């Protein structure tokens, strides 16, 4: 008896990698934060339901919420996995996935960044009062950033704290 975490890892022939932490179970929605997509973004949906489900995706940014990729009431086949194109404008955005009739799904977001760098996220299924976000890259050329998404109707107060950096790599156990 123990605790397990699962993730996916993909490595291209150009020696670029992307990964996403797995979900502990299906959910009826999630939010996928994206810092600077180039417009080549895919929402991967997996449904284990024995009947077709319907879902939608909404973009959350400084602009008013808007449907993403025409996904307003998209039908998704029974027991199926499929990628849906979700073009995004450059800049930070949160993509909110939601299902109709509380249909459970598992999802991930794949993105191609402005420098044609690959990225993926499993998104956030539940709200939390605190998060620990690790840097996506450790290169000295990397420009760290964070996307904060509020999908509620009221303003929130956020405190962002940068933890001190103590060396590049932790010692092996």
């Amino acid at each position: 008896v123990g605790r397990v975490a699962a993730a996916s890892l993909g490595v291209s022939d150009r020696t670029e990698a992307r990964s996403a932490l797995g979900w502990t179970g299906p959910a009826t929605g999630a939010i996928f934060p994206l810092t600077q997509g180039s417009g080549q973004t895919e929402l991967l949906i997996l449904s284990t339901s024995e009947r077709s489900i319907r879902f939608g995706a909404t973009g959350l940014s400084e602009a008013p919420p808007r449907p993403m990729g025409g996904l307003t009431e998209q039908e998704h086949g029974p027991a199926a996995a499929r990628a849906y194109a979700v073009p995004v404008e450059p800049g930070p955005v949160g993509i909110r996935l939601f299902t109709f009739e509380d249909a459970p799904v598992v999802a991930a977001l794949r993105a191609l960044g402005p420098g044609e760098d690959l990225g993926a996220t499993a998104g956030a299924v539940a709200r939390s009062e605190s998060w620990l976000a690790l840097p996506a890259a450790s290169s000295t050329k990397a420009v760290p950033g964070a996307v904060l998404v509020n999908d509620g109707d009221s303003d929130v107060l956020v405190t962002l704290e940068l933890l001190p950096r103590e060396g590049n790599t932790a010692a092996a156990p």
Side-chain angles (χ1 to χ4, degrees):
V1 174
R3 293 178 9 163
V4 176
S8 64
L9 174 65
V11 181
S12 73
D13 59 352
R14 297 181 297 175
T15 66
E16 294 178 340
R18 66 172 142 201
S19 68
L21 188 63
W23 290 14
T24 58
T28 59
I31 294 179
F32 301 91
L34 187 62
T35 56
Q36 294 194 31
S38 66
Q40 298 178 22
T41 305
E42 293 179 319
L43 187 59
L44 284 75
I45 305 289
L46 167 67
S47 168
T48 58
S49 175
E50 294 180 7
R51 59 186 174 88
S52 292
I53 65 162
R54 293 180 305 126
F55 74 93
T58 303
L60 305 173
S61 66
E62 292 180 353
R66 65 199 179 285
M68 298 296 291
L71 300 175
T72 55
E73 288 192 43
Q74 178 68 43
E75 187 167 337
H76 183 82
R82 181 174 169 205
Y84 297 88
V86 183
V88 295
E89 299 291 324
V93 65
I95 298 175
R96 183 175 67 91
L97 165 69
F98 58 93
T99 64
F100 293 90
E101 300 171 359
D102 294 323
V105 296
V106 176
L109 185 77
R110 289 193 299 219
L112 183 64
E116 296 194 11
D117 52 322
L118 303 172
T121 179
V125 177
R127 292 177 177 89
S128 179
E129 291 186 9
S130 63
W131 291 90
L132 179 60
L134 300 173
S138 62
S139 166
T140 56
K141 297 178 187 177
V143 180
V147 176
L148 306 176
V149 180
N150 175 12
D151 69 335
D153 294 330
S154 58
D155 291 343
V156 295
L157 178 63
V158 175
T159 301
L160 188 61
E161 182 179 349
L162 186 61
L163 300 176
R165 180 178 176 169
E166 296 183 21
N168 292 330
T169 307

